[in-house]
Amino acid sequence: MKYTESYIFAGIVILALGTYLIRYSGFYLANRMEFKEHHKQLLADSACVLLFTLAVLNTLFTETHFSGISKIIGVSVAVIFAWKKYSLIVVILVALGITALLRYFGLS
């Protein structure tokens, strides 16, 4: 493996372990301790927050460089379409099309 591939692999392993440990800790601690409903919800949402952080970082950066404004606009349009409850294929195709058009016109 190359130097950068080992970092990518290590990052995937760390994220997988972190997600697993967060989920397991919620299950394990819920049987051992009595939590308020608010704290149970925080433990359940922590894995989603971890994955959301990964998605945001992948939107903003490609390897060590800034991704460009076209990718950010494409993802933003995809979020709006997903919020409006369009189907997944429509969301993906619209985001792909917007990003491709912006890059074609020189806005990278």
Side-chain angles (χ1 to χ4, degrees):
M1 262 196 270
K2 292 183 182 178
Y3 187 67
T4 56
E5 290 175 351
S6 61
Y7 275 130
I8 292 171
F9 182 73
I12 291 170
V13 169
I14 290 170
L15 284 171
L17 287 174
T19 303
Y20 175 75
L21 288 174
I22 288 171
R23 288 185 178 269
Y24 181 74
S25 68
F27 173 75
Y28 180 75
L29 293 175
N31 292 331
R32 299 268 181 184
M33 302 171 68
E34 187 62 34
F35 285 113
K36 296 178 183 176
E37 190 60 35
H38 173 71
H39 294 118
K40 288 181 183 179
Q41 188 64 36
L42 283 175
L43 283 173
D45 291 342
S46 58
C48 292
V49 169
L50 182 68
L51 294 174
F52 177 74
T53 304
L54 176 65
V56 168
L57 287 176
N58 280 331
T59 299
L60 294 176
F61 298 103
T62 303
E63 293 181 3
T64 59
H65 305 301
F66 179 66
S67 290
I69 195 70
S70 61
K71 187 175 180 183
I72 294 171
I73 292 172
V75 170
S76 301
V77 169
V79 167
I80 291 170
F81 271 67
W83 177 53
K84 294 290 185 180
K85 304 224 187 260
Y86 283 90
S87 68
L88 180 62
I89 191 70
V90 171
V91 172
I92 292 170
L93 290 175
V94 167
L96 179 118
I98 293 289
T99 304
L101 280 174
L102 290 174
R103 287 183 179 170
Y104 178 76
F105 290 122
L107 186 65
S108 61

